[in-house]
Amino acid sequence: MTAKIPAWRAVWLALRSWRTAAVSLLSFSSGLPLGLVWIAIPTWLAREGVDIKIIGLFTLAQAPWSFKFLWSPLMDRYALPIPKLGRKLGWTLAMQVALLALTFVLGDVARHPDAIWIVGSLTLAIAFASASQDIAIDAYAVEVLRPNEQGVAVGARIAIYRAAMFVAGGLAITLAGMWSWPFVFTLIALLYAPMLFVTLFAPRSEADRLHAPPSLRAAVWEPFVGFLAKARALELLGFVVLYKLADNLAGALVRPFLVQVGFDDFDVGVATATIGLVATLVGTFLGGVLTTAMGLGHALWVFGGLQIASNLGYVLIAMVGVDRPLMYAAMGFESITTGMGTGAFSVLLLRMTMKQFSATQYALFSSLFALPRILAGPVTGVMVDAMGWRDFFLFTIAIGIPGLLMLHRFSPLGVRDPELEALADIRPRILTRGDLVRRGALGGLVALVIGAFSVAALDAFKRMRALPDAGFDLIAPLTHLLVPTTVSDWLSAVGVLLFGFTIALATAATAAARSKKVEGKSKF
């Protein structure tokens, strides 16, 4: 039996590891195109006098990062003809070369930016190559990092990733004001050159010895089956959605909250852009290091509790009003605990992912992890309107508890490291197609009821705050959902239907993954 490495010696060994360094440095290559597409290019177009409606359309170039899981199976199934690098590093190198070339071309086009369709095509191509590079680098991290290296690597990756975004975003804008945009774009392109050498000399993944999925269909289907057939799969998925939910809800409208309380633009800017950013980066790196030292199980519990408790600071601000020291302290504490929770959670995502399907599974898990953050904005606006700021932040504290309950299901309090790989397969059962349809319909019906009552309850709270004498009335908002008359009613009804349909599909897919066959035939 291998002797257990002391906690802080494991941290020291991880800091000295070339695997940790390679994975961390490659994240610089991931952050550059994000800063370019999200920040630099829209700013450049605005300076060139491009119509704001056209600039708004450029936000569609962000879509590849949201939908990258759609083509991630290709990177599990196929290898480029670069045998010495393996599948994931080979794809990484190819995407880096593409990004270097595309950004060079952008620098040339910037000298005569009248052909806006060419700029749009280049921007979309850069985004697609960047999202593909992210798939390969994330999968490489899953395959090459050892458990005691994952925490340190996660913290370093996020810090270097944010630094690259700043270089290609905020710093690029400053340099363009001193020189020119064509020169700045060319300079950004040159920054990919050192990353090519990192990729060429990065440690090879032992997972390349594993057989690739035998077909593209297997590369798409097996990652789902391999995970959903596990006994604790649903608890893990529930935890992935719920663990950061309180944090995402509280953070979605922090800036409008501070403005409405009465803080001026200077205070809001310092709190969010300076204190918040620095504290988040420090917290993420600290969370990764402490996860290695404490163990993943302990870290998820401690950081989960801290990030829930940190919302009390916003409750105090809502009660006290304008108090600059309180606001700075609350923002700093919330940001650092958010970063620590993200550090530990990112380690969990690495360990949940099967190495044979590292590209597909990690892309799916990271997309699922991002879902609460994407949906938080619209939901929080309705909730704040219905409940008020103080009660809303108290609610976010309560909503964090289910995530900890899900954590207890696979990592009970006191367990240093959850046994994710030891999760037993559920005994397969034979289900007919009719069984799958009935299970999906039942799941969808339950989701419809929950969604309808949740939307109606928020509307009822909102009406009760506006008209206290009217009381809490669920009947009227439920009637508006069933018989929509206004645009708002229709949007709410469609949202509830989409939620029910999604849960119905998820229920049927889970049942299919855990069944042996369907009507005597293979279920897929």
Side-chain angles (χ1 to χ4, degrees):
M1 182 179 293
T2 305
K4 182 177 177 59
I5 302 175
W8 290 106
R9 177 168 172 75
V11 172
W12 173 243
L13 291 175
L15 288 170
R16 297 177 58 191
S17 167
W18 174 228
R19 288 179 295 273
T20 303
V23 168
S24 302
L25 289 173
L26 286 173
S27 64
F28 189 83
S29 185
S30 292
L32 284 177
L34 201 66
L36 181 66
V37 172
W38 287 25
I39 302 171
I41 291 178
T43 304
W44 164 56
L45 293 176
R47 290 293 182 191
E48 294 292 335
V50 176
D51 191 295
I52 191 62
K53 295 189 291 295
I54 301 297
I55 297 175
L57 292 176
F58 273 70
T59 59
L60 295 174
Q62 300 174 16
W65 282 289
S66 299
F67 297 101
K68 61 185 179 182
F69 62 88
L70 293 176
W71 65 90
S72 58
L74 294 172
M75 298 187 183
D76 281 328
R77 172 65 182 93
Y78 301 109
L80 296 179
I82 317 175
K84 291 185 178 180
L85 289 182
R87 279 195 296 273
K88 305 311 185 299
L89 285 177
W91 281 106
T92 300
L93 185 70
M95 293 304 108
Q96 287 173 339
V97 171
L99 287 167
L100 189 154
L102 289 168
T103 311
F104 257 128
V105 174
L106 180 65
D108 183 62
V109 171
R111 303 177 193 280
H112 38 83
D114 296 333
I116 196 67
W117 69 271
I118 297 179
V119 177
S121 300
L122 283 172
T123 303
L124 186 60
I126 289 171
F128 180 81
S130 175
S132 302
Q133 177 192 232
D134 289 351
I135 295 170
I137 292 176
D138 289 339
Y140 173 70
V142 169
E143 295 176 1
V144 78
L145 290 174
R146 295 174 181 174
N148 65 298
E149 297 167 344
Q150 291 169 339
V152 174
V154 161
R157 285 183 75 194
I158 295 176
I160 294 174
Y161 182 86
R162 288 295 189 95
M165 281 188 65
F166 170 75
V167 168
L171 183 59
I173 295 171
T174 302
L175 294 178
M178 298 169 57
W179 297 312
S180 68
W181 280 107
F183 175 81
V184 169
F185 290 147
T186 303
L187 187 62
I188 292 173
L190 290 173
L191 292 177
Y192 289 106
M195 297 298 101
L196 297 176
F197 288 98
V198 174
T199 303
L200 288 170
F201 293 101
R204 302 299 177 257
S205 168
E206 294 180 0
D208 284 322
R209 299 175 184 174
L210 300 174
H211 293 295
S215 65
L216 184 57
R217 184 173 68 173
V220 172
W221 181 252
E222 289 300 325
F224 290 94
V225 174
F227 183 77
L228 289 175
K230 300 294 182 180
R232 297 295 184 192
L234 297 182
E235 287 92 333
L236 281 166
L237 289 177
F239 174 76
V240 167
V241 173
L242 294 173
Y243 184 67
K244 300 286 288 183
L245 182 59
D247 183 56
N248 289 325
L249 288 173
L253 296 178
V254 165
R255 290 174 179 82
F257 163 63
L258 295 178
V259 169
Q260 289 189 12
V261 168
F263 292 99
D264 59 32
D265 291 342
F266 176 81
D267 289 334
V268 175
V270 170
T272 57
T274 304
I275 295 176
L277 176 60
V278 172
T280 300
L281 291 179
V282 170
T284 303
F285 184 76
L286 187 61
V289 172
L290 290 177
T291 298
T292 299
M294 298 167 58
L296 178 58
H298 295 328
L300 288 170
W301 276 103
V302 173
F303 302 157
L306 286 175
Q307 68 185 11
I308 293 171
S310 69
N311 292 346
L312 284 171
Y314 295 136
V315 175
L316 292 175
I317 294 173
M319 295 171 63
V320 172
V322 177
D323 186 319
R324 185 178 292 174
L326 174 62
M327 188 266 286
Y328 287 166
M331 176 61 71
F333 183 63
E334 190 271 340
S335 297
I336 199 168
T337 55
T338 293
M340 294 168 76
T342 299
F345 191 83
S346 299
V347 173
L348 175 68
L349 293 186
L350 289 173
R351 296 192 185 178
M352 284 171 57
T353 306
M354 299 168 61
K355 292 187 176 183
Q356 188 178 5
F357 308 110
S358 55
T360 303
Q361 280 196 345
Y362 193 89
L364 285 168
F365 291 150
S366 57
S367 296
L368 186 63
F369 172 45
L371 189 61
R373 184 176 67 250
I374 295 170
L375 299 178
V379 173
T380 51
V382 176
M383 293 177 67
V384 169
D385 187 47
M387 304 167 67
W389 287 111
R390 190 202 66 172
D391 292 343
F392 165 71
F393 285 117
L394 286 172
F395 174 78
T396 63
I397 294 173
I399 204 68
I401 295 175
L404 296 181
L405 295 177
M406 283 293 177
L407 174 59
H408 183 71
R409 293 286 296 168
F410 68 89
S411 181
L413 188 63
V415 173
R416 189 178 193 280
D417 286 295
E419 294 290 335
L420 300 176
E421 306 235 346
L423 299 180
D425 286 334
I426 288 178
R427 185 176 179 182
R429 291 165 292 180
I430 298 176
L431 294 178
T432 65
R433 297 187 189 278
D435 292 332
L436 294 180
V437 171
R438 283 189 290 273
R439 287 168 184 255
L442 180 61
L445 181 61
V446 172
L448 283 173
V449 171
I450 294 174
F453 273 93
S454 298
V455 171
L458 286 173
D459 196 11
F461 273 120
K462 178 181 176 180
R463 292 169 184 267
M464 188 172 68
R465 288 185 71 236
L467 301 169
D469 295 336
F472 185 78
D473 179 20
L474 271 177
I475 303 300
L478 282 174
T479 302
H480 292 155
L481 279 177
L482 293 174
V483 187
T485 54
T486 66
V487 174
S488 177
D489 293 341
W490 277 105
L491 288 175
S492 297
V494 170
V496 170
L497 287 173
L498 286 175
F499 176 68
F501 181 69
T502 302
I503 297 301
L505 286 179
T507 304
T510 302
R514 298 182 178 193
S515 65
K516 183 180 274 187
K517 53 179 147 180
V518 180
E519 293 183 350
K521 299 179 182 179
S522 169
K523 60 180 176 293
F524 54 90

